[in-house]
Amino acid sequence: MMNKLILGRYIPGDSFIHNLDPRAKLVASFYFIAIIFLCNNFASFGLMFAFTLFAILLSKISVRFFIKGVKPLIWLILFTVILQVLFSQGGEVYFKWGIFTISEWGLKNGAYIFIRFVLIIFMSTLLTLTTPPLSLADAIEYLLRPLKAIKFPAHEISLMLSIALRFVPTLMDETEKIMNAQRARGVDFGEGNLMQKMKAIVPLLIPLFVSSFNRAEDLAIAMEARGYQGGEGRTKYRVLHWEKNDTFVVIGFAILTGLLIWLRG
Amino acid sequence: METPLIELKNITFKYHGEEEKNALNDVSLNIYPGEWVALIGHNGSGKSTLAKTINGLIVPNAGDIFVKGEKVTEETLWDIRRMIGMVFQNPDNQFVGSTVEDDVAFGLENQGVPREDMLTRVKDALEKVRMSDFMIKEPARLSGGQKQRVAIAGVIALRPDVIILDEATSMLDPQGRKEVIDTIRKIKEESNLTVISITHDIDEAAYANRVLVMREGEIIQEGTPGEIFSHGEELIELGLDVPFPEKLKAALKEREIDVPDTYLTEEGMVDWLWTSGLNK
């Protein structure tokens, strides 16, 4: 189940993109998603496409991975595109049948949405493929810091995030173990109709929850014994370094935005 | 007499919701600097509860605890936790950091140690437990024994006076157990730590200077491992294991062979066997 999902995986490597500051990457990805909505003609989309391709080349990761990232979402994308094509009106009408119309604008909108989707997925896949989850958590913590002014629990959120990330493999192992233990006692996972399938999940879910509670309690005690008293007065072992390349990314995005506004016409 | 490092005076504790019996019943105990104390006893005898009261994770219903002459109270609690490091049973559940180095640094971060200091202390601590090669590894890629050694590194990086092993080896295989115990012994010798080990593992208890036997929230016996283990049969009645030489002695006794009453280590047993002139 998990090896199909490319989104959220990290591929270690040594490239321009890999070595960027995670803060730069995170902000850049969000910014990219925001400015993609500025595109309104083929020239601007072409520019964004070229930019994404350039970024992928810089990451030295095979394009196959990005296409794999799109695959699980392809039906959602096609569904949206088809709705756009069939229901948008305007421009020259090519085909009409009842409430369905295929028009010039509809086709255009459909194509735009398709490109937008694909580019957004490519960019977010690029982010997760080149950034270890931990660095992402660090970046999120850093970026949330200003929100402390409005009493937003930035430290707590980031601690929860990093503990959650650290326990993902542990809990996956545990799930596997419980599943096998229940299978050994005759539980069939993934067999029968929907109702039966759901019922089979119960002997997996409840032990998993209970053991998570126990883990949480043990962890809290261990943390307290090691002097954890909350975010106040803590120093940090990990630090993020902003380097020249990160500044280049910012400049690159500024140029991209300028070109985009010019091409919008 | 030396001043005790840890003093427990008439500690009584009852878990919330348990009516009939106390988890700890009027326990008094002194632990001296540089000692290795082993607490043994069957499940539910109050060993872990006792350990948790020492660094204030559990507040006793009655009685006082003093660490280095300072009473454990709400105000002194965090200072006392600095002096006492604890390693718990489940290696997975006490691993806070996402990688080995982060986990070792966690306690230092809590104390507000400056980063440059932290880097050297994390490195030193990992060297001491021989885990330096694993600095950037994630917990999912370590064995149980390795995780416990990281937990020990996390504790010794804080430079505590006392290290409490709360059944720290009970979920490990014999190999991991040996690694962990050897590590602790080495560190104890190097930095004159006081060790309190709560254990079911009789070999671990055999390393101690003093063994305390607990039953139903009370300390019922106290002595050197030799003294305690020489009451072999009583220990078995208490549901505890005895070291291998004791088992051998019991088996010889059954075959009506005269064996010495005093406790013998494995080497001692071998010496006795080959000088005893047994010829049956």
Side-chain angles (χ1 to χ4, degrees):
Chain A
M1 169 174 70
M2 280 300 156
N3 39 22
K4 266 195 226 155
L5 212 70
I6 195 82
L7 212 77
R9 259 220 290 175
Y10 167 63
I11 297 173
D14 181 35
S15 71
F16 179 81
I17 305 269
H18 274 95
N19 297 330
L20 285 178
D21 189 301
R23 289 169 294 184
K25 278 190 269 188
L26 191 66
V27 172
S29 305
F30 277 109
Y31 185 69
F32 182 87
I33 291 170
I35 58 171
I36 205 164
F37 290 98
L38 285 176
C39 299
N40 61 357
N41 55 26
F42 277 105
S44 51
F45 271 115
L47 174 70
M48 288 302 259
F49 199 81
F51 185 81
T52 312
L53 225 54
F54 178 62
I56 289 174
L57 280 180
L58 276 179
S59 77
K60 294 185 192 159
I61 292 174
S62 131
V63 184
R64 266 207 340 256
F65 280 106
F66 295 89
I67 293 169
K68 260 199 217 160
V70 175
K71 260 189 196 158
L73 294 169
I74 196 72
W75 293 114
L76 182 75
I77 298 171
L78 285 182
F79 182 69
T80 326
V81 168
I82 288 168
L83 281 186
Q84 276 293 333
V85 169
L86 290 182
F87 293 108
S88 294
Q89 272 152 22
E92 202 178 321
V93 175
Y94 302 119
F95 175 80
K96 197 169 168 69
W97 183 71
I99 52 166
F100 303 115
T101 25
I102 294 179
S103 64
E104 190 191 341
W105 283 21
L107 284 176
K108 227 179 187 177
N109 271 343
Y112 287 171
I113 282 185
F114 183 79
I115 300 172
R116 250 178 221 152
F117 256 118
V118 170
L119 288 185
I120 289 175
I121 294 168
F122 274 16
M123 241 346 169
S124 44
T125 312
L126 183 67
L127 173 72
T128 54
L129 283 181
T130 59
T131 322
L134 251 183
S135 311
L136 267 186
D138 287 341
I140 291 170
E141 176 176 14
Y142 184 87
L143 295 171
L144 287 178
R145 221 181 273 171
L147 292 180
K148 264 188 189 161
I150 54 162
K151 300 255 167 77
F152 183 82
H155 163 75
E156 282 76 8
I157 299 275
S158 77
L159 182 79
M160 268 165 23
L161 202 64
S162 70
I163 289 178
L165 286 171
R166 173 248 168 281
F167 271 97
V168 167
T170 313
L171 288 178
M172 298 248 280
D173 277 355
E174 174 127 349
T175 311
E176 192 74 37
K177 247 186 237 164
I178 297 174
M179 266 176 114
N180 285 338
Q182 300 292 27
R183 275 197 193 109
R185 305 154 114 202
V187 177
D188 262 336
F189 291 104
E191 296 282 316
N193 61 30
L194 193 65
M195 200 59 201
Q196 284 166 325
K197 270 187 199 168
M198 269 158 62
K199 270 188 183 154
I201 299 244
V202 175
L204 168 67
L205 225 48
I206 290 178
L208 201 59
F209 265 106
V210 172
S211 98
S212 300
F213 276 114
N214 291 334
R215 272 184 206 282
E217 173 142 16
D218 280 0
L219 186 70
I221 288 177
M223 283 170 70
E224 219 176 298
R226 284 167 72 181
Y228 180 75
Q229 303 177 63
E232 288 306 305
R234 279 187 106 229
T235 43
K236 282 194 70 77
Y237 182 71
R238 295 173 158 275
V239 282
L240 300 169
H241 295 286
W242 187 272
E243 273 163 45
K244 219 167 50 198
N245 283 347
D246 302 303
T247 315
F248 287 152
V249 170
V250 174
I251 295 169
F253 266 90
I255 295 170
L256 181 74
T257 316
L259 281 175
L260 207 61
I261 290 169
W262 179 62
L263 282 175
R264 254 167 76 90
Chain B
M1 187 119 188
E2 230 181 330
T3 48
L5 188 62
I6 296 171
E7 248 184 301
L8 276 74
K9 283 186 178 155
N10 311 94
I11 299 295
T12 301
F13 178 77
K14 191 182 271 183
Y15 276 103
H16 192 71
E18 262 194 37
E19 298 294 310
E20 308 100 56
K21 70 177 189 34
N22 294 331
L24 292 174
N25 201 359
D26 200 26
V27 175
S28 293
L29 170 67
N30 287 344
I31 289 164
Y32 298 94
E35 245 192 328
W36 181 316
V37 178
L39 270 170
I40 59 173
H42 57 83
N43 287 335
S45 59
K47 307 178 303 274
S48 296
T49 313
L50 187 67
K52 282 181 189 150
T53 54
I54 295 176
N55 70 352
L57 290 169
I58 283 175
V59 181
N61 301 85
D64 290 317
I65 299 152
F66 296 89
V67 177
K68 274 192 173 168
E70 210 163 338
K71 194 174 161 198
V72 179
T73 60
E74 199 82 32
E75 288 89 56
T76 60
L77 190 63
W78 295 102
D79 291 326
I80 279 157
R81 280 189 192 157
R82 252 167 226 223
M83 298 181 218
I84 301 173
M86 243 176 138
V87 180
F88 296 91
Q89 185 173 25
N90 190 324
D92 265 321
N93 295 0
Q94 57 180 317
F95 210 107
V96 190
S98 332
T99 63
V100 167
E101 51 176 349
D102 285 305
D103 190 62
V104 177
F106 178 75
L108 298 168
E109 289 179 327
N110 292 336
Q111 295 192 0
V113 175
R115 183 159 184 274
E116 300 78 60
D117 245 7
M118 238 185 314
L119 291 174
T120 52
R121 278 165 81 167
V122 167
K123 225 174 118 230
D124 286 350
L126 282 172
E127 246 157 50
K128 274 194 183 146
V129 300
R130 288 171 290 115
M131 287 292 288
S132 305
D133 299 340
F134 298 85
M135 265 182 96
I136 52 166
K137 286 265 180 348
E138 287 121 43
R141 299 197 197 165
L142 303 177
S143 73
Q146 287 173 332
K147 277 181 229 171
Q148 286 304 60
R149 268 150 63 200
V150 173
I152 293 169
V155 165
I156 59 171
L158 298 170
R159 305 195 177 133
D161 300 296
V162 185
I163 181 163
I164 301 176
L165 307 171
D166 188 355
E167 300 191 30
T169 58
S170 67
M171 289 178 81
L172 305 180
D173 56 13
Q175 170 72 26
R177 199 173 282 191
K178 196 176 166 302
E179 281 172 8
V180 169
I181 294 297
D182 288 346
T183 307
I184 288 281
R185 287 183 72 185
K186 205 184 91 206
I187 292 164
K188 184 188 179 306
E189 270 158 38
E190 281 169 8
S191 37
N192 194 34
L193 269 177
T194 307
V195 179
I196 303 173
S197 86
I198 294 161
T199 182
H200 284 120
D201 183 34
I202 222 69
D203 297 317
E204 198 180 318
Y207 290 127
N209 307 112
R210 190 147 59 106
V211 179
L212 306 167
V213 185
M214 287 193 75
R215 188 181 61 189
E216 281 163 23
E218 286 171 42
I219 294 176
I220 54 163
Q221 266 181 36
E222 185 179 342
T224 62
E227 283 162 15
I228 298 291
F229 295 146
S230 55
H231 316 284
E233 284 138 47
E234 284 171 48
L235 287 181
I236 293 169
E237 267 168 50
L238 279 170
L240 294 170
D241 207 3
V242 289
F244 177 72
E246 282 301 317
K247 284 186 198 152
L248 180 61
K249 260 161 54 179
L252 287 173
K253 230 181 208 166
E254 247 173 50
R255 289 168 180 75
E256 290 170 355
I257 294 164
D258 245 352
V259 287
D261 284 334
T262 52
Y263 167 71
L264 297 171
T265 58
E266 262 174 57
E267 289 84 31
M269 193 72 195
V270 171
D271 277 347
W272 177 79
L273 277 172
W274 76 267
T275 51
S276 66
L278 276 179
N279 219 349
K280 292 182 198 175

